[in-house]
Amino acid sequence: MYTKDEKAKLRGTQLLTDESVLNMFKTKFDMIHHLREYLYSVGSIEVEVPYMNKYREGAPVVQYETIDPITKERFFLRHSPENFLRRIGQPFRNIYEIGKNFRVEYEDDFHANEYIVLEHKSVEHSYQQGIDLVVELLKYTMRNTFGSLDTGIVNFENLSIVTFDELMKKNLGFSMHDPNASKLALKALEGIEEPLSKEKYDWEIYELVMKYFIEKKIEEPTIVTDFPVALQHTAVIDREKQISKRFSLIIKGIEVCDGGIKFDNSDEYRAVFEENEDFARRYMGFEHFEVSPEFYTDVDNGHMEMFSFGLGIDRLFALCVGKNIHDVILFPFR
Protein backbone atom coordinates (compact mmCIF):
# COMPACT_ATOMS: atom_id res chain seq x y z
CA MET A 1 0.00 0.00 0.00
CA TYR A 2 1.26 3.47 -0.86
CA THR A 3 2.22 6.20 1.57
CA LYS A 4 1.34 9.73 0.49
CA ASP A 5 4.11 12.28 0.35
CA GLU A 6 3.40 14.67 3.23
CA LYS A 7 5.36 17.38 1.39
CA ALA A 8 2.54 17.49 -1.19
CA LYS A 9 0.46 19.38 1.38
CA LEU A 10 2.86 22.26 0.73
CA ARG A 11 3.22 21.58 -2.98
CA GLY A 12 4.18 25.13 -3.88
CA THR A 13 6.99 25.12 -1.34
CA GLN A 14 8.09 21.66 -2.46
CA LEU A 15 8.29 22.80 -6.08
CA LEU A 16 10.46 25.75 -5.02
CA THR A 17 12.85 23.58 -3.01
CA ASP A 18 12.99 20.27 -4.91
CA GLU A 19 13.94 20.64 -8.56
CA SER A 20 13.40 16.93 -9.29
CA VAL A 21 9.71 17.23 -8.37
CA LEU A 22 9.36 20.42 -10.41
CA ASN A 23 10.93 18.73 -13.44
CA MET A 24 8.70 15.69 -13.03
CA PHE A 25 5.58 17.83 -13.26
CA LYS A 26 6.99 19.71 -16.24
CA THR A 27 7.44 16.34 -17.94
CA LYS A 28 3.86 15.35 -17.12
CA PHE A 29 2.44 18.51 -18.63
CA ASP A 30 4.73 18.05 -21.64
CA MET A 31 3.23 14.57 -22.07
CA ILE A 32 -0.29 16.04 -22.05
CA HIS A 33 0.81 18.56 -24.68
CA HIS A 34 2.06 15.75 -26.95
CA LEU A 35 -1.18 13.77 -26.53
CA ARG A 36 -3.05 16.83 -27.79
CA GLU A 37 -0.47 17.42 -30.52
CA TYR A 38 -0.91 13.93 -31.97
CA LEU A 39 -4.70 14.03 -31.84
CA TYR A 40 -4.68 17.44 -33.57
CA SER A 41 -2.44 15.97 -36.29
CA VAL A 42 -5.03 13.27 -37.08
CA GLY A 43 -7.94 15.71 -37.21
CA SER A 44 -9.43 15.12 -33.77
CA ILE A 45 -11.31 18.09 -32.25
CA GLU A 46 -10.94 18.96 -28.56
CA VAL A 47 -14.29 19.70 -26.91
CA GLU A 48 -15.56 20.28 -23.38
CA VAL A 49 -18.48 18.64 -21.61
CA PRO A 50 -20.03 19.17 -18.14
CA TYR A 51 -18.54 18.04 -14.86
CA MET A 52 -21.97 17.96 -13.19
CA ASN A 53 -24.95 15.99 -14.41
CA LYS A 54 -28.47 15.76 -12.98
CA TYR A 55 -28.64 12.12 -14.13
CA ARG A 56 -26.60 9.05 -13.26
CA GLU A 57 -24.31 7.77 -16.00
CA GLY A 58 -25.56 4.21 -16.36
CA ALA A 59 -22.80 2.23 -14.64
CA PRO A 60 -23.58 0.54 -11.29
CA VAL A 61 -21.21 2.79 -9.34
CA VAL A 62 -21.52 5.27 -6.50
CA GLN A 63 -21.02 8.85 -7.72
CA TYR A 64 -20.20 11.97 -5.74
CA GLU A 65 -23.27 14.14 -5.30
CA THR A 66 -23.79 17.83 -4.66
CA ILE A 67 -26.79 20.12 -4.16
CA ASP A 68 -27.37 23.44 -5.92
CA PRO A 69 -27.67 25.88 -3.00
CA ILE A 70 -30.15 28.03 -4.95
CA THR A 71 -32.49 25.52 -6.64
CA LYS A 72 -31.82 22.61 -4.25
CA GLU A 73 -31.44 20.31 -7.29
CA ARG A 74 -29.18 17.29 -6.89
CA PHE A 75 -26.24 16.84 -9.26
CA PHE A 76 -23.75 14.03 -9.77
CA LEU A 77 -20.07 14.72 -10.32
CA ARG A 78 -19.08 12.83 -13.41
CA HIS A 79 -17.60 9.36 -13.18
CA SER A 80 -16.72 9.67 -16.88
CA PRO A 81 -17.42 12.13 -19.72
CA GLU A 82 -18.32 9.23 -22.02
CA ASN A 83 -22.10 9.72 -22.25
CA PHE A 84 -21.81 13.40 -23.16
CA LEU A 85 -19.14 12.72 -25.77
CA ARG A 86 -21.17 9.83 -27.18
CA ARG A 87 -24.06 12.25 -27.79
CA ILE A 88 -21.98 14.64 -29.91
CA GLY A 89 -19.50 12.23 -31.49
CA GLN A 90 -21.48 11.67 -34.67
CA PRO A 91 -21.82 15.31 -35.83
CA PHE A 92 -18.19 16.17 -34.92
CA ARG A 93 -17.00 12.71 -36.10
CA ASN A 94 -13.63 12.65 -34.30
CA ILE A 95 -13.45 14.30 -30.85
CA TYR A 96 -11.80 14.12 -27.45
CA GLU A 97 -11.74 15.79 -24.07
CA ILE A 98 -8.94 15.99 -21.51
CA GLY A 99 -10.43 16.68 -18.10
CA LYS A 100 -11.13 15.43 -14.58
CA ASN A 101 -13.01 12.33 -13.51
CA PHE A 102 -14.29 11.96 -9.96
CA ARG A 103 -14.39 8.43 -8.58
CA VAL A 104 -15.54 7.07 -5.24
CA GLU A 105 -12.48 4.85 -4.72
CA TYR A 106 -10.52 3.18 -1.97
CA GLU A 107 -7.33 5.04 -2.78
CA ASP A 108 -4.15 3.02 -3.37
CA ASP A 109 -1.07 3.27 -5.59
CA PHE A 110 -3.10 3.63 -8.78
CA HIS A 111 -6.60 4.66 -7.69
CA ALA A 112 -7.42 8.29 -6.91
CA ASN A 113 -10.67 10.11 -6.23
CA GLU A 114 -9.87 12.83 -8.78
CA TYR A 115 -7.62 12.43 -11.79
CA ILE A 116 -7.07 13.49 -15.41
CA VAL A 117 -8.43 11.38 -18.24
CA LEU A 118 -8.39 11.55 -22.03
CA GLU A 119 -11.71 10.38 -23.49
CA HIS A 120 -11.93 9.96 -27.27
CA LYS A 121 -14.79 9.20 -29.70
CA SER A 122 -14.68 8.65 -33.45
CA VAL A 123 -17.03 7.43 -36.18
CA GLU A 124 -14.08 7.49 -38.60
CA HIS A 125 -12.25 4.50 -37.09
CA SER A 126 -13.08 0.81 -37.21
CA TYR A 127 -12.21 -1.44 -34.27
CA GLN A 128 -8.76 -2.28 -35.64
CA GLN A 129 -8.11 1.26 -36.88
CA GLY A 130 -9.00 2.58 -33.43
CA ILE A 131 -6.57 0.22 -31.71
CA ASP A 132 -3.90 1.29 -34.21
CA LEU A 133 -4.70 4.92 -33.32
CA VAL A 134 -4.12 4.21 -29.63
CA VAL A 135 -0.79 2.49 -30.40
CA GLU A 136 0.44 5.39 -32.52
CA LEU A 137 -0.79 7.95 -29.97
CA LEU A 138 1.18 6.23 -27.21
CA LYS A 139 4.35 5.85 -29.28
CA TYR A 140 4.27 9.44 -30.53
CA THR A 141 3.72 10.73 -27.00
CA MET A 142 6.51 8.64 -25.46
CA ARG A 143 9.04 9.53 -28.15
CA ASN A 144 8.36 13.24 -27.82
CA THR A 145 8.09 13.31 -24.03
CA PHE A 146 10.94 11.00 -23.05
CA GLY A 147 13.03 11.07 -26.25
CA SER A 148 12.54 7.33 -26.68
CA LEU A 149 9.92 4.60 -26.49
CA ASP A 150 11.71 3.53 -23.30
CA THR A 151 10.86 5.85 -20.40
CA GLY A 152 13.44 4.18 -18.19
CA ILE A 153 10.66 2.34 -16.38
CA VAL A 154 8.30 1.24 -19.18
CA ASN A 155 9.47 0.25 -22.67
CA PHE A 156 6.82 0.82 -25.33
CA GLU A 157 9.00 -0.94 -27.90
CA ASN A 158 7.67 -4.07 -26.21
CA LEU A 159 4.00 -3.10 -26.72
CA SER A 160 2.09 -6.19 -27.83
CA ILE A 161 -1.49 -6.97 -28.86
CA VAL A 162 -3.09 -10.24 -27.75
CA THR A 163 -6.64 -11.54 -27.45
CA PHE A 164 -8.43 -12.20 -24.17
CA ASP A 165 -8.91 -15.82 -25.20
CA GLU A 166 -5.21 -16.37 -25.87
CA LEU A 167 -4.42 -15.15 -22.37
CA MET A 168 -7.16 -17.31 -20.83
CA LYS A 169 -5.76 -20.38 -22.55
CA LYS A 170 -2.24 -19.48 -21.42
CA ASN A 171 -3.09 -18.67 -17.80
CA LEU A 172 -6.10 -20.90 -17.09
CA GLY A 173 -5.72 -23.70 -19.60
CA PHE A 174 -9.12 -23.39 -21.30
CA SER A 175 -10.89 -21.15 -23.81
CA MET A 176 -13.55 -18.60 -23.03
CA HIS A 177 -15.53 -20.28 -25.83
CA ASP A 178 -15.59 -23.59 -23.94
CA PRO A 179 -19.26 -24.43 -23.11
CA ASN A 180 -18.25 -24.85 -19.46
CA ALA A 181 -15.95 -21.82 -19.35
CA SER A 182 -17.90 -19.97 -16.64
CA LYS A 183 -17.94 -23.00 -14.34
CA LEU A 184 -14.25 -23.66 -14.94
CA ALA A 185 -13.45 -20.00 -14.25
CA LEU A 186 -15.52 -20.06 -11.06
CA LYS A 187 -13.57 -23.12 -9.95
CA ALA A 188 -10.27 -21.33 -10.64
CA LEU A 189 -11.45 -18.39 -8.50
CA GLU A 190 -12.25 -20.51 -5.43
CA GLY A 191 -9.15 -19.43 -3.50
CA ILE A 192 -9.72 -15.74 -4.18
CA GLU A 193 -11.68 -13.81 -1.57
CA GLU A 194 -13.81 -11.54 -3.72
CA PRO A 195 -17.58 -11.12 -3.18
CA LEU A 196 -19.98 -12.33 -5.88
CA SER A 197 -23.74 -11.86 -6.00
CA LYS A 198 -25.90 -14.89 -5.29
CA GLU A 199 -26.63 -15.15 -9.03
CA LYS A 200 -22.89 -15.29 -9.87
CA TYR A 201 -23.35 -13.46 -13.16
CA ASP A 202 -20.94 -14.32 -15.95
CA TRP A 203 -19.77 -10.70 -16.09
CA GLU A 204 -18.80 -10.84 -12.40
CA ILE A 205 -16.84 -14.03 -12.97
CA TYR A 206 -15.01 -12.68 -16.01
CA GLU A 207 -14.24 -9.37 -14.26
CA LEU A 208 -12.34 -11.41 -11.66
CA VAL A 209 -10.69 -13.52 -14.38
CA MET A 210 -9.54 -10.27 -15.97
CA LYS A 211 -8.27 -8.92 -12.65
CA TYR A 212 -6.44 -11.99 -11.34
CA PHE A 213 -5.56 -14.15 -14.33
CA ILE A 214 -4.93 -11.58 -17.04
CA GLU A 215 -4.08 -8.12 -15.66
CA LYS A 216 -1.86 -9.35 -12.83
CA LYS A 217 0.07 -11.61 -15.23
CA ILE A 218 1.01 -8.76 -17.57
CA GLU A 219 4.23 -6.77 -17.06
CA GLU A 220 5.11 -5.23 -20.43
CA PRO A 221 2.64 -2.87 -22.17
CA THR A 222 -0.07 -5.09 -23.65
CA ILE A 223 -3.33 -4.35 -25.44
CA VAL A 224 -5.86 -7.09 -24.68
CA THR A 225 -8.52 -7.37 -27.41
CA ASP A 226 -11.70 -9.34 -28.22
CA PHE A 227 -13.30 -9.57 -24.79
CA PRO A 228 -15.88 -12.19 -23.75
CA VAL A 229 -19.48 -11.34 -24.62
CA ALA A 230 -20.21 -11.18 -20.87
CA LEU A 231 -17.81 -8.23 -20.55
CA GLN A 232 -19.27 -6.23 -23.40
CA HIS A 233 -20.46 -3.35 -21.17
CA THR A 234 -21.62 -1.02 -23.97
CA ALA A 235 -19.40 -2.51 -26.69
CA VAL A 236 -20.71 -4.12 -29.89
CA ILE A 237 -20.81 -7.91 -30.17
CA ASP A 238 -19.26 -9.72 -33.15
CA ARG A 239 -21.80 -12.55 -33.43
CA GLU A 240 -19.67 -14.63 -35.79
CA LYS A 241 -16.60 -14.59 -33.53
CA GLN A 242 -18.66 -14.46 -30.31
CA ILE A 243 -16.55 -11.68 -28.85
CA SER A 244 -17.19 -8.10 -27.79
CA LYS A 245 -15.27 -5.44 -29.69
CA ARG A 246 -13.58 -4.14 -26.57
CA PHE A 247 -9.94 -3.73 -25.57
CA SER A 248 -7.77 -2.69 -22.61
CA LEU A 249 -4.18 -1.50 -22.27
CA ILE A 250 -2.39 -3.11 -19.33
CA ILE A 251 1.01 -2.04 -17.98
CA LYS A 252 2.65 -3.73 -14.98
CA GLY A 253 -0.65 -5.34 -13.99
CA ILE A 254 -2.56 -2.04 -14.12
CA GLU A 255 -5.31 -1.09 -16.59
CA VAL A 256 -4.42 2.24 -18.19
CA CYS A 257 -6.87 2.45 -21.11
CA ASP A 258 -10.17 0.81 -22.01
CA GLY A 259 -12.30 1.15 -25.14
CA GLY A 260 -13.99 -0.43 -28.12
CA ILE A 261 -16.82 0.02 -30.59
CA LYS A 262 -19.92 1.43 -28.88
CA PHE A 263 -23.60 0.74 -29.58
CA ASP A 264 -25.36 2.65 -32.37
CA ASN A 265 -28.87 2.68 -30.83
CA SER A 266 -30.64 3.43 -27.59
CA ASP A 267 -32.28 -0.02 -27.26
CA GLU A 268 -28.97 -1.73 -26.58
CA TYR A 269 -27.83 1.02 -24.21
CA ARG A 270 -31.15 0.90 -22.39
CA ALA A 271 -30.96 -2.88 -21.92
CA VAL A 272 -27.48 -2.63 -20.36
CA PHE A 273 -28.35 0.37 -18.19
CA GLU A 274 -31.56 -1.26 -16.95
CA GLU A 275 -29.60 -4.37 -15.97
CA ASN A 276 -27.13 -2.10 -14.16
CA GLU A 277 -30.02 -0.35 -12.45
CA ASP A 278 -31.44 -3.64 -11.23
CA PHE A 279 -28.04 -4.66 -9.86
CA ALA A 280 -27.51 -1.25 -8.20
CA ARG A 281 -30.92 -1.33 -6.52
CA ARG A 282 -30.58 -4.89 -5.20
CA TYR A 283 -26.91 -4.96 -4.19
CA MET A 284 -25.90 -1.31 -3.71
CA GLY A 285 -29.04 0.09 -2.10
CA PHE A 286 -29.76 2.72 -4.78
CA GLU A 287 -33.26 4.21 -4.68
CA HIS A 288 -32.90 6.52 -7.67
CA PHE A 289 -31.17 5.46 -10.87
CA GLU A 290 -32.19 7.44 -13.92
CA VAL A 291 -30.16 7.86 -17.10
CA SER A 292 -30.64 11.02 -19.18
CA PRO A 293 -33.52 10.64 -21.66
CA GLU A 294 -31.67 13.15 -23.85
CA PHE A 295 -28.82 10.64 -24.09
CA TYR A 296 -31.09 8.05 -25.69
CA THR A 297 -32.59 10.57 -28.12
CA ASP A 298 -29.20 11.87 -29.25
CA VAL A 299 -27.84 8.35 -29.76
CA ASP A 300 -30.83 7.43 -31.96
CA ASN A 301 -30.63 10.65 -33.98
CA GLY A 302 -26.90 10.07 -34.51
CA HIS A 303 -27.41 6.43 -35.44
CA MET A 304 -23.84 5.17 -35.92
CA GLU A 305 -21.38 2.82 -34.22
CA MET A 306 -18.52 4.73 -32.60
CA PHE A 307 -14.96 3.85 -31.65
CA SER A 308 -14.18 4.99 -28.11
CA PHE A 309 -11.39 4.89 -25.58
CA GLY A 310 -10.58 6.39 -22.21
CA LEU A 311 -6.93 6.82 -21.17
CA GLY A 312 -5.99 7.54 -17.55
CA ILE A 313 -3.30 10.19 -17.99
CA ASP A 314 -2.16 10.43 -14.35
CA ARG A 315 -2.04 6.65 -14.09
CA LEU A 316 -0.08 6.31 -17.33
CA PHE A 317 2.44 8.95 -16.30
CA ALA A 318 2.85 7.44 -12.82
CA LEU A 319 3.73 4.08 -14.36
CA CYS A 320 6.12 5.68 -16.85
CA VAL A 321 8.15 7.41 -14.12
CA GLY A 322 7.87 4.76 -11.40
CA LYS A 323 5.67 6.73 -8.99
CA ASN A 324 2.25 6.20 -7.44
CA ILE A 325 -0.64 8.20 -8.87
CA HIS A 326 -0.82 10.59 -5.90
CA ASP A 327 2.81 11.63 -6.37
CA VAL A 328 2.05 12.85 -9.91
CA ILE A 329 -1.13 14.78 -9.07
CA LEU A 330 -0.31 18.39 -8.22
CA PHE A 331 -2.80 18.57 -5.34
CA PRO A 332 -3.86 15.09 -4.17
CA PHE A 333 -7.47 14.89 -2.99
CA ARG A 334 -6.64 14.19 0.67
Side-chain angles (χ1 to χ4, degrees):
M1 183 59 69
Y2 75 98
T3 300
K4 283 187 178 176
D5 183 358
E6 285 295 307
K7 294 177 182 178
K9 292 179 180 178
L10 289 173
R11 185 67 92 188
T13 300
Q14 183 188 38
L15 295 172
L16 284 170
T17 58
D18 191 333
E19 189 174 6
S20 66
V21 176
L22 177 63
N23 288 335
M24 179 191 72
F25 278 106
K26 286 182 177 180
T27 302
K28 172 186 168 180
F29 299 132
D30 192 42
M31 187 180 84
I32 295 172
H33 165 75
H34 291 303
L35 288 167
R36 283 191 166 100
E37 192 172 56
Y38 179 80
L39 290 171
Y40 178 82
S41 76
V42 297
S44 191
I45 300 169
E46 184 170 8
V47 300
E48 48 80 25
V49 297
Y51 281 70
M52 295 195 301
N53 186 359
K54 67 178 182 178
Y55 297 102
R56 292 192 184 272
E57 292 175 21
V61 295
V62 178
Q63 291 179 246
Y64 284 109
E65 298 179 30
T66 188
I67 300 294
D68 185 318
I70 297 174
T71 67
K72 308 306 178 185
E73 288 182 283
R74 178 178 59 178
F75 289 90
F76 300 96
L77 285 178
R78 75 181 192 192
H79 186 82
S80 165
E82 181 170 351
N83 283 5
F84 282 108
L85 292 172
R86 178 64 184 83
R87 291 169 61 180
I88 60 174
Q90 200 277 335
F92 283 114
R93 302 192 63 78
N94 185 354
I95 61 171
Y96 72 96
E97 189 209 36
I98 292 177
K100 291 290 188 74
N101 278 359
F102 301 90
R103 299 281 172 95
V104 180
E105 302 269 26
Y106 289 104
E107 292 190 332
D108 59 24
D109 282 351
F110 294 102
H111 291 86
N113 296 106
E114 177 184 349
Y115 61 93
I116 302 173
V117 68
L118 161 63
E119 189 78 26
H120 179 271
K121 298 282 181 286
S122 172
V123 296
E124 297 176 345
H125 294 80
S126 67
Y127 182 50
Q128 187 57 55
Q129 288 170 339
I131 292 172
D132 292 342
L133 172 73
V134 172
V135 171
E136 291 307 311
L137 171 67
L138 290 167
K139 289 185 174 181
Y140 178 91
T141 301
M142 295 306 137
R143 283 194 200 98
N144 285 278
T145 304
F146 297 98
S148 165
L149 291 180
D150 188 350
T151 74
I153 304 292
V154 178
N155 191 347
F156 285 86
E157 289 181 359
N158 300 330
L159 179 64
S160 61
I161 300 176
V162 62
T163 68
F164 192 107
D165 197 42
E166 288 174 299
L167 292 172
M168 269 197 67
K169 290 174 183 175
K170 176 183 177 181
N171 298 326
L172 286 174
F174 58 90
S175 169
M176 68 185 195
H177 300 297
D178 188 305
N180 297 312
S182 295
K183 291 180 180 179
L184 292 170
L186 198 56
K187 180 75 174 175
L189 291 165
E190 281 182 353
I192 295 171
E193 295 184 3
E194 286 270 8
L196 290 168
S197 70
K198 63 182 180 181
E199 288 86 357
K200 294 183 172 61
Y201 295 109
D202 281 355
W203 67 264
E204 294 180 278
I205 295 169
Y206 279 108
E207 287 282 9
L208 295 181
V209 167
M210 179 67 179
K211 180 177 179 180
Y212 289 100
F213 294 104
I214 293 182
E215 285 182 4
K216 290 185 181 297
K217 305 289 186 180
I218 292 172
E219 185 68 17
E220 299 292 348
T222 302
I223 291 179
V224 182
T225 67
D226 300 358
F227 274 46
V229 170
L231 289 185
Q232 75 170 120
H233 291 186
T234 56
V236 169
I237 299 298
D238 183 323
R239 298 297 174 187
E240 183 178 345
K241 295 182 179 179
Q242 277 301 292
I243 56 98
S244 62
K245 292 184 177 181
R246 186 180 159 204
F247 74 93
S248 284
L249 168 66
I250 313 297
I251 302 173
K252 296 184 179 296
I254 304 296
E255 182 190 84
V256 176
C257 177
D258 182 80
I261 298 291
K262 299 298 183 177
F263 298 147
D264 69 347
N265 65 88
S266 66
D267 289 342
E268 288 180 292
Y269 274 110
R270 197 182 299 274
V272 170
F273 291 161
E274 286 180 353
E275 184 176 314
N276 290 347
E277 176 185 1
D278 180 64
F279 183 88
R281 286 179 185 276
R282 287 191 292 137
Y283 293 103
M284 301 174 70
F286 285 14
E287 293 183 6
H288 304 286
F289 193 109
E290 184 182 5
V291 176
S292 165
E294 291 89 355
F295 170 81
Y296 296 124
T297 301
D298 282 343
V299 168
D300 281 339
N301 285 331
H303 199 277
M304 189 174 289
E305 290 181 358
M306 191 172 294
F307 177 77
S308 169
F309 72 87
L311 173 67
I313 293 176
D314 288 321
R315 184 179 286 183
L316 173 63
F317 184 73
L319 286 162
C320 286
V321 297
K323 302 287 186 179
N324 74 53
I325 193 170
H326 310 279
D327 288 338
V328 304
I329 293 173
L330 263 178
F331 295 99
F333 184 68
R334 293 188 176 90

